[in-house]
Amino acid sequence: MIQYLILLSANALAGHPTFELFDENGEKTLLSENVSVSKTCAACHDVDFIESTSSHKAAGVDVGCLDCHSSNGIEDLKSHMDEAGFVNCQMLSASSERCADCHGVVNVHSEQKVVLPSHIVFSSDGSEVDRSLKTGEIFSDQRISNSGLNIANKDSLSRSWNVHAERGLDCTSCHFSPNNPAQVGVIRKDDLEHLKRDPRAGKIHDYLERPVHDLASATCENCHDSVAAHPDMPARSLHLASLACQSCHVPELYGPAAQVIDNTVITPNGPRIEIRNLSSQEGAPSTWYLAGYKPFLADNGEKLAPYNFVTELQWVDKGQNPVGIDLVEKAWLIDGNYRQDVLKALDLDSNGKLSDDELEKSHEFIKGKLRDLGVEDPEISAFVNAFPIVHGVVEGDWVDGKCESCHTSTKENIILANSMPSDVNVVLPEVLKGQALIREGKSVFLAQANSERYILGSQLNTWSDKVGFSLFLMSSFGIFGHGAIRFATRKKRQSSHESVHKEYLYTAYERLWHWVMVASVLVLIVTGLHIHFGDKLPFIPFSSAVSIHNLMAAIMLINAVFALFYHLATKEITQFIPAGSGLIKRLIAQARFYMHGIFMGGAHPYPKNRDSKLNPLQQLTYLALLNVLFPAQVITGILLLALGSKEEAIGSMAIIAPIHNLVSWFFITFVVVHVYLITTGHTLTSNLKAMIDGWDIVDGPETGKSNE
Amino acid sequence: MFGKLKKVKQGWLILIAFLPISLGIGFGGKSNKKPPKIPNRVHVSHSSFFEEPFETPQAVTKACLECHEESASEIMATAHWTWLGQDYVRKTGTIEEDGSITLGEVNLGPQGKKNLLNNFCIGITGNEAKCTSCHIGYGWKDADFDFKDESAVDCLICHDQTGQYRKGSAGMPTPNTDLLAAAKSVSYPNRDNCGVCHYNGGGGMGVKHGDLDSSLAHPFSEDDVHMGEQNMLCIDCHTGGHKFKGRSFAMSSNHEGGIDCLDCHDTSPHEDVRLNQHTDVVACQTCHIPAFATKEPTKLTWDWSKAGDPDRKEDYFEYLKIKGEFTYGQNMVPTYDWFNYEMDHYILGDPIDETIVTDINNPRGGRGLEGSKIWPFKVHIAQQPYDTVYKYLLPPMTSGKNGYWHNFDWGIALKAGAEASNIVFSGSYGFTETVMYWPLSHLVAPSEKSLQCVDCHSEQGRLDWKALGYPTDPINMGGGL
């Protein structure tokens, strides 16, 4: 009682005035038996208007004011009436608890643990009644781990049943009266897309007199900005355009969700119901437990949205008209128990009960009984209900954000029924049109086709890795061998050169663009590997790796454009172009030097000087690097960035990404070889030093051409 | 030459400039202070240091001090030894003749367990021998105890690992204690070393604190993330050797040398901005201690006026002839109020109004006041004796010849108590309601169990917004703090 009073006083519409009770004839009355609720409310509220707009009434539900606006109906009024006949009952605003009376399991701000109602009725009309059984949705702020249900791995489920309940929302937060001045303007009309909010709020007294009862169903977008909420989502516009929010934000449902409603088998507890996510129903019910089930995604005509599919079986007559449930019940039961002849025919083990196996074999017998009851050619028909899942929303932390969870080649089966007579035709709902029904024995299921995509950072196209890595490995081995021989022969070439001098080889800008290139390439390689291997590399988060990679690519590209301009403007570009005649000979000479002369202390065939900084092999390498690899990498990179969010082009990722990957292996190999060759100057570090201060040690006597 | 150097520098500078950019993007902005690693403590075995049996516990202390010369003087400077805290500065307001109020401060000197009244066994003065079984010294049986005697420090109660070392009257070891074994066993204090006193404060297991009880000997992860999941010891937070940190919120007047969650944790530790916005006005403990006395019941009320009924059936949790009537509670929702780490106290002789409840202590703070945050409290309510003529609380003598527990006569017990405490007793007494507030800081639950929005922000929420100074739930006021 105390709890009830607290509930009443706390949840009340603050300041509902006292009122008197009226009877059917509009006369004041003191007797609660005579009270006409609609006449009483009509003293102030336009009850006719309310009823004419009521979405409940429109759906054929006979619902009165107090069904939603009180906790205990007329008794509330009676217990709050004073001697003069004035009722000082603070009327409840429609509370979530009252919605729960019909719509499913709701438990908000309550000390009571979430439990299932003792008796659930499945209404097969596709209405919003008993959503919990239809979909497994439970609206509660309670942590699942703290609820009163048997759920597998419950301890690890420290999230609430519904994040909106957890954040203090209740049913009317989204399902409100559209002319409530507090809510007007929240819903954007299609024709007001240029407005964020319609400020033309109604007057509060108009609302109180005529509250529209065609309750709103606010969508996620009414409150959330899905673009701003997902700054790091790959292919964001594509994902947001093709997926309902709930597709990700209802990862699993833990309430009992129906799988089959079998109206052909009526037990004393009602039609036979199969629960999708209930463990085996053997042993004591206290040992049964629920498991989470992933909702099934289907195209609702606009987006992929989550559904639960409930298969319903029923008897139909010759004209395919459903046989009334009363008649079927009559065939099975008498006074709420099985008929004796039913038991006699079906109870094979004679234990007085009908097991699932025994019920399954009942069809022929019941068919005969229905015939006796006057049904012409009774047969079983089956159809699948699609119940969209919109509640049960969790916050981002509990969303499975892994690309490969959806984008894989594996297909998941959607079980529609585990024991379906093979001659029964199953009618699929609109959202499943075009899906192929699979039958295996008595099972009927669909295959949930996952969208197989090449996912950056998630899947690996291993051929490009294999080729690239072998290249990298071979080069590394080559360098290692080369270095080892140089080390072994180091004594032979001591003081081999008689004349060297210092020369200013690299101007400040040349050094600058070179080091910018070094920095950007190194960062690109590191972040690129992170993107490529996804979460398998732990150092940088995937989303950061992507942003750094893009930024660095831009820096590198700008740097390259400036450098190209510099080289063209100063004609330095000519240094990179190998002169045509005798190129082969010069290449051989340079190669011979690297294979032989370098060990023996032989002279560089083409010593560096200010006008010719690159040897023929370098020229060839840079020609390939700058004209083939670099453009290839830039173009594939831009394509990945541009096409990654275009649905039509997303298939091309599987080709572009491996090319980008392969070229990056060339770059990695180049970096390794380049770094090694730096050590082949006059001293181990003289080349490095040259790129830092510009001065290198080169062969030959001082020419006096120094620019410094 | 100089020119060259300059060029070199420029090149490197640009290179270096890229590093913070790339790092900054990678680990964007968020500073997350990781709680420090909990040390794996190894203690030198003392088993070979002592061979001869010890005649007296003081001899053990002397042996300890031969090597640990500073230890006694260090611990003797702390409240564990003195049972006194810092000066209690009471804020006053005097109404002048013209009606204006002059604010002032009165320094009432150092206050602590030694001289403050509490809401349990009431006062120590005169009852020393009994109370000081939890004093870290030997022989404090009356006012003559020598607080400068280093050999009276009890090293073993904190360092003994045999588990057989227990203190009795005036803090002396109970008879037949094996002092040699205890001395050989010494190590860092584990949870039970602290717990032997702190689990049992107020005269029994779990009576006083609500967040310290014997369940912390082997704590469950679900109750205490630090001592349970992380298996931390008391001294992992109460650091600093013999001059360790930490204050009893309820008995202290301020928080000098206290511990703060922020000693280890970040100021904005939550991923959700909305949660971090709470930390200015909500103490960490408020959300992260969803319940107190989770495993062991704690005392909620204590009615001394019912004591002494020889006919009433005794029950540890309901009634004891010597103590009166109690109620206990387990897994309790805390009471919430503002607190700024400063506590006001009832000082012996302060006038009371017996028709209303008297605050034995009172947390300072309020909405909008600097440093104030909403804290969780265990509230303990008692019926205590007071002088009906002079209108102040009376600390009874409980133990000893004239004590209430000996002859069950309040007149004698209160007279003896008043004499020991040096206040006047008129001879007539009554009982009045007193309340004490215990800020909660232990039993920090794992984050999965912390409070959620609707635990406070809903019609049935646990905060009484009006009492906290808000016109209504601040979520209805646009989130104003």
Side-chain angles (χ1 to χ4, degrees):
Chain A
M1 185 63 190
I2 286 169
Q3 215 172 15
Y4 157 72
L5 282 175
I6 292 169
L7 189 77
L8 197 70
S9 62
N11 218 0
L13 276 175
H16 193 281
T18 53
F19 55 93
E20 291 167 286
L21 302 178
F22 297 91
D23 67 11
E24 209 49 60
N25 308 316
E27 303 288 333
K28 284 181 191 171
T29 176
L30 294 175
L31 304 167
S32 59
E33 299 80 58
N34 296 346
V35 168
S36 157
V37 172
S38 56
K39 282 281 191 299
T40 300
C41 298
C44 297
H45 304 282
D46 187 342
V47 173
D48 291 339
F49 174 85
I50 291 170
E51 289 192 352
S52 72
T53 60
S54 164
S55 41
H56 284 95
K57 290 269 183 197
V61 185
D62 183 25
V63 59
C65 306
L66 293 182
D67 290 329
C68 300
H69 293 282
S70 74
S71 39
N72 209 10
I74 202 88
E75 293 303 312
D76 278 358
L77 309 187
K78 198 177 164 188
S79 59
H80 287 82
M81 188 161 65
D82 64 17
E83 284 164 3
F86 284 96
V87 179
N88 190 13
C89 173
Q90 297 291 302
M91 300 301 287
L92 291 170
S93 63
S95 70
S96 299
E97 284 82 359
R98 292 288 70 77
C99 303
D101 289 346
C102 300
H103 291 287
V105 180
V106 174
N107 177 307
V108 284
H109 320 167
S110 169
E111 295 283 311
Q112 304 290 323
K113 295 205 176 251
V114 169
V115 290
L116 300 176
S118 54
H119 186 59
I120 328 179
V121 185
F122 188 88
S123 66
S124 57
D125 54 2
S127 75
E128 293 292 316
V129 175
D130 253 326
R131 285 201 63 93
S132 293
L133 185 60
K134 283 169 177 167
T135 61
E137 294 165 327
I138 287 177
F139 189 80
S140 174
D141 55 89
Q142 206 162 84
R143 296 179 201 273
I144 296 177
S145 55
N146 206 20
S147 68
L149 301 181
N150 272 0
I151 294 172
N153 300 322
K154 190 173 159 187
D155 283 352
S156 61
L157 294 166
S158 60
R159 71 163 168 91
S160 57
W161 288 90
N162 186 308
V163 68
H164 290 128
E166 180 192 325
R167 301 287 155 89
L169 273 59
D170 51 28
C171 301
T172 55
S173 302
C174 295
H175 305 292
F176 45 81
S177 165
N179 70 335
N180 182 343
Q183 301 285 6
V184 164
V186 172
I187 289 190
R188 277 177 277 176
K189 298 260 165 52
D190 288 343
D191 58 349
L192 288 175
E193 261 180 4
H194 62 292
L195 292 179
K196 282 181 181 167
R197 184 176 180 279
D198 184 350
R200 290 167 296 186
K203 302 288 179 288
I204 190 87
H205 50 80
D206 288 338
Y207 163 66
L208 289 176
E209 188 179 351
R210 291 190 198 85
V212 175
H213 271 54
D214 181 10
L215 300 182
S217 285
T219 62
C220 308
E221 283 79 13
N222 287 136
C223 299
H224 297 278
D225 182 340
S226 54
V227 174
H230 301 99
D232 297 329
M233 181 189 266
R236 176 171 64 183
S237 52
L238 192 57
H239 278 119
L240 295 184
S242 48
L243 286 168
C245 303
Q246 292 91 344
S247 297
C248 297
H249 285 273
V250 187
E252 284 200 313
L253 291 163
Y254 292 90
Q259 176 170 291
V260 172
I261 306 293
D262 190 352
N263 289 316
T264 66
V265 175
I266 310 292
T267 71
N269 295 326
R272 189 179 69 88
I273 296 180
E274 278 177 29
I275 299 293
R276 184 174 288 287
N277 51 341
L278 189 63
S279 67
S280 83
Q281 297 180 32
E282 284 157 15
S286 60
T287 65
W288 304 353
Y289 60 89
L290 292 161
Y293 85 93
K294 286 195 179 104
F296 312 113
L297 300 188
D299 190 348
N300 66 5
E302 210 177 310
K303 290 177 176 182
L304 278 180
Y307 286 89
N308 183 34
F309 297 114
V310 181
T311 308
E312 213 169 315
L313 284 85
Q314 62 182 13
W315 290 105
V316 291
D317 64 12
K318 199 178 172 188
Q320 293 296 312
N321 299 315
V323 176
I325 196 88
D326 312 350
L327 211 58
V328 184
E329 206 175 298
K330 214 167 161 186
W332 279 92
L333 307 176
I334 185 158
D335 297 335
N337 281 311
Y338 290 121
R339 302 179 76 97
Q340 278 310 315
D341 54 339
V342 170
L343 275 180
K344 200 174 164 195
L346 300 177
D347 188 9
L348 302 176
D349 56 8
S350 311
N351 65 350
K353 294 176 192 157
L354 294 180
S355 69
D356 283 353
D357 287 344
E358 289 165 346
L359 289 172
E360 216 175 278
K361 296 179 182 115
S362 67
H363 291 142
E364 278 312 310
F365 177 76
I366 297 297
K367 195 186 266 187
K369 289 220 59 152
L370 287 172
R371 255 191 228 111
D372 298 345
L373 287 163
V375 180
E376 269 187 83
D377 292 344
E379 56 177 87
I380 294 172
S381 87
F383 60 94
V384 177
N385 291 295
F387 294 115
I389 290 162
V390 288
H391 304 90
V393 174
V394 302
E395 67 172 326
D397 289 354
W398 288 88
V399 167
D400 174 9
K402 293 196 190 73
C403 306
E404 57 268 36
S405 297
C406 293
H407 299 293
T408 109
S409 52
T410 55
K411 298 193 174 200
E412 282 171 45
N413 290 335
I414 305 173
I415 296 171
L416 296 178
N418 282 323
S419 56
M420 176 73 73
S422 55
D423 55 338
V424 172
N425 180 39
V426 180
V427 181
L428 292 182
E430 197 61 37
V431 291
L432 289 176
K433 280 284 180 297
Q435 293 264 18
L437 206 63
I438 306 167
R439 282 172 180 254
E440 253 173 41
K442 288 184 290 181
S443 302
V444 186
F445 54 91
L446 300 161
Q448 167 113 48
N450 277 313
S451 157
E452 192 181 355
R453 295 264 192 260
Y454 183 81
I455 302 301
L456 280 178
S458 165
Q459 287 161 331
L460 294 175
N461 238 332
T462 47
W463 66 265
S464 61
D465 269 335
K466 279 176 192 155
V467 173
F469 191 66
S470 338
L471 183 76
F472 168 75
L473 223 64
M474 283 191 297
S475 311
S476 303
F477 275 127
I479 286 165
F480 193 73
H482 197 268
I485 299 172
R486 271 174 70 206
F487 184 74
T489 58
R490 67 193 183 282
K491 292 208 170 106
K492 286 189 189 171
R493 18 173 229 278
Q494 270 168 9
S495 66
S496 57
H497 292 298
E498 55 293 334
S499 83
V500 291
H501 69 278
K502 289 186 94 184
E503 189 167 333
Y504 188 64
L505 278 188
Y506 306 108
T507 64
Y509 177 71
E510 284 171 343
R511 282 176 275 139
L512 171 64
W513 83 257
H514 172 265
W515 286 115
V516 171
M517 206 54 109
V518 170
S520 48
V521 165
L522 288 181
V523 174
L524 281 168
I525 288 172
V526 172
T527 52
L529 286 171
H530 273 86
I531 298 168
H532 186 60
F533 290 104
D535 294 331
K536 294 176 194 81
L537 289 185
F539 311 111
I540 309 176
F542 181 80
S543 56
S544 309
V546 172
S547 348
I548 302 172
H549 198 77
N550 292 342
L551 180 75
M552 277 298 152
I555 290 173
M556 188 178 79
L557 197 57
I558 294 166
N559 188 39
V561 170
F562 278 128
L564 178 66
F565 174 75
Y566 167 86
H567 283 89
L568 287 172
T570 58
K571 295 190 182 165
E572 286 284 314
I573 190 113
T574 51
Q575 297 217 19
F576 285 84
I577 301 167
S581 62
L583 175 65
I584 309 282
K585 217 171 111 188
R586 279 181 286 136
L587 285 175
I588 292 169
Q590 184 64 34
R592 271 181 61 82
F593 170 73
Y594 279 135
M595 306 302 274
H596 184 257
I598 194 168
F599 305 126
M600 297 305 161
H604 280 259
Y606 303 99
K608 281 194 263 191
N609 61 54
R610 186 72 197 88
D611 299 323
S612 166
K613 285 179 283 196
L614 301 176
N615 68 46
L617 269 179
Q618 278 178 300
Q619 284 176 329
L620 197 70
T621 307
Y622 284 117
L623 201 68
L625 189 81
L626 297 172
N627 290 297
V628 182
L629 295 181
F630 190 80
Q633 201 66 337
V634 169
I635 290 167
T636 50
I638 290 172
L639 284 176
L640 287 175
L641 200 58
L643 301 182
S645 52
K646 298 272 182 298
E647 188 169 16
E648 319 78 58
I650 206 160
S652 58
M653 301 286 264
I655 303 155
I656 301 167
I659 295 176
H660 198 74
N661 174 239
L662 183 64
V663 177
S664 68
W665 278 113
F666 275 94
F667 273 99
I668 293 170
T669 308
F670 166 78
V671 168
V672 172
V673 175
H674 186 76
V675 168
Y676 174 69
L677 288 176
I678 287 170
T679 67
T680 62
H682 274 274
T683 65
L684 280 180
T685 56
S686 62
N687 279 346
L688 179 65
K689 206 177 132 290
M691 196 43 86
I692 293 169
D693 66 6
W695 289 80
D696 201 356
I697 303 165
V698 297
D699 290 344
E702 189 92 33
T703 57
K705 268 174 68 181
S706 167
N707 293 354
E708 183 74 336
Chain B
M1 189 67 201
F2 187 70
K4 255 193 282 174
L5 201 69
K6 221 168 140 187
K7 279 186 177 142
V8 173
K9 270 191 178 164
Q10 284 165 354
W12 280 109
L13 276 177
I14 287 163
L15 189 65
I16 290 162
F18 277 103
L19 286 171
I21 295 175
S22 45
L23 288 175
I25 298 161
F27 309 100
K30 205 174 171 232
S31 77
N32 244 343
K33 186 150 94 181
K34 282 253 167 71
K37 243 187 140 58
I38 302 146
N40 186 10
R41 292 196 162 78
V42 181
H43 195 271
V44 175
S45 168
H46 283 47
S47 58
S48 58
F49 296 179
F50 313 109
E51 279 160 11
E52 298 295 316
F54 293 99
E55 291 299 319
T56 61
Q58 287 88 341
V60 181
T61 304
K62 282 178 186 148
C64 299
L65 293 175
E66 279 174 30
C67 296
H68 304 283
E69 294 171 10
E70 303 295 319
S71 295
S73 61
E74 281 171 357
I75 202 78
M76 285 160 80
T78 70
H80 269 89
W81 177 259
T82 61
W83 283 12
L84 279 175
Q86 267 101 352
D87 286 2
Y88 167 43
V89 180
R90 180 176 278 170
K91 311 238 176 197
T92 59
T94 329
I95 302 169
E96 304 290 333
E97 280 176 11
D98 60 355
S100 65
I101 296 171
T102 311
L103 297 179
E105 284 182 346
V106 187
N107 189 336
L108 294 171
Q111 301 291 336
K113 283 173 87 70
K114 188 179 175 181
N115 47 5
L116 286 172
L117 295 193
N118 66 53
N119 222 26
F120 301 90
C121 295
I122 303 180
I124 283 161
T125 313
N127 300 311
E128 282 90 347
K130 193 85 185 163
C131 300
T132 56
S133 64
C134 270
H135 181 247
I136 56 149
Y138 298 125
W140 183 3
K141 58 182 191 299
D142 52 36
D144 299 332
F145 178 64
D146 180 5
F147 281 94
K148 294 203 172 63
D149 179 9
E150 292 198 347
S151 68
V153 171
D154 183 352
C155 306
L156 291 174
I157 190 60
C158 300
H159 294 281
D160 161 67
Q161 301 300 323
T162 61
Q164 49 96 36
Y165 184 88
R166 288 286 181 270
K167 286 162 78 74
S169 179
M172 300 303 288
T174 48
N176 303 324
T177 298
D178 186 344
L179 293 171
L180 181 61
K184 280 171 177 280
S185 76
V186 292
S187 182
Y188 291 109
N190 62 26
R191 286 192 294 269
D192 282 351
N193 284 108
C194 308
V196 70
C197 287
H198 292 280
Y199 298 162
N200 296 297
M205 225 292 297
V207 164
K208 192 188 272 178
H209 291 273
D211 60 346
L212 288 175
D213 55 52
S214 64
S215 72
L216 293 174
H218 303 284
F220 291 88
S221 299
E222 64 188 41
D223 293 331
D224 191 301
V225 73
H226 295 118
M227 292 184 264
E229 196 171 301
Q230 304 290 335
N231 198 19
M232 286 167 71
L233 303 179
C234 306
I235 55 170
D236 289 325
C237 289
H238 297 272
T239 54
H242 286 112
K243 295 185 266 187
F244 48 85
K245 297 207 294 183
R247 301 291 300 277
S248 161
F249 294 108
M251 301 299 284
S252 304
S253 305
N254 58 43
H255 199 52
E256 276 171 42
I259 297 169
D260 199 299
C261 304
L262 300 185
D263 293 349
C264 298
H265 295 281
D266 203 331
T267 46
S268 44
H270 310 101
E271 271 181 34
D272 195 314
V273 180
R274 289 167 292 193
L275 293 182
N276 286 334
Q277 284 169 344
H278 283 72
T279 57
D280 283 346
V281 287
V282 180
C284 308
Q285 288 87 338
T286 300
C287 298
H288 291 280
I289 305 179
F292 65 92
T294 46
K295 290 284 185 289
E296 297 287 348
T298 188
K299 201 175 270 191
L300 301 176
T301 67
W302 183 336
D303 186 348
W304 278 102
S305 70
K306 304 275 170 63
D309 184 348
D311 302 327
R312 198 162 159 184
K313 189 171 162 276
E314 292 216 334
D315 179 297
Y316 182 81
F317 292 109
E318 287 173 6
Y319 184 77
L320 292 175
K321 186 186 171 195
I322 60 165
K323 293 185 175 179
E325 193 178 88
F326 328 114
T327 53
Y328 275 78
Q330 192 194 339
N331 207 17
M332 300 296 294
V333 173
T335 303
Y336 298 92
D337 201 355
W338 294 98
F339 183 41
N340 67 356
Y341 282 137
E342 290 175 4
M343 195 63 89
D344 278 313
H345 301 284
Y346 179 88
I347 303 292
L348 198 62
D350 283 346
I352 62 159
D353 177 352
E354 75 277 12
T355 58
I356 58 169
V357 61
T358 301
D359 293 326
I360 294 297
N361 69 345
N362 198 0
R364 285 184 190 166
R367 183 180 170 216
L369 299 183
E370 200 189 335
S372 296
K373 295 186 181 189
I374 295 171
W375 269 75
F377 294 87
K378 176 205 155 177
V379 174
H380 181 266
I381 291 172
Q383 296 285 338
Q384 286 198 23
Y386 76 103
D387 191 308
T388 50
V389 175
Y390 295 116
K391 307 278 186 198
Y392 46 60
L393 296 178
L394 290 169
M397 181 94 77
T398 46
S399 63
K401 181 163 63 68
N402 291 326
Y404 181 75
W405 295 343
H406 184 67
N407 47 30
F408 296 100
D409 185 326
W410 280 116
I412 297 170
L414 291 171
K415 184 163 176 284
E419 274 168 16
S421 298
N422 208 13
I423 59 166
V424 185
F425 174 44
S426 69
S428 63
Y429 62 90
F431 287 87
T432 183
E433 191 165 287
T434 56
V435 64
M436 198 165 178
Y437 299 89
W438 289 85
L440 302 169
S441 212
H442 303 96
L443 292 181
V444 174
S447 59
E448 306 83 75
K449 294 191 78 183
S450 58
L451 298 189
Q452 294 170 284
C453 310
V454 291
D455 285 317
C456 300
H457 298 293
S458 70
E459 305 291 359
Q460 287 84 27
R462 30 172 93 183
L463 294 193
D464 181 348
W465 294 107
K466 291 227 166 77
L468 289 169
Y470 293 88
T472 174
D473 182 347
I475 209 169
N476 300 331
M477 317 193 303
L481 301 170

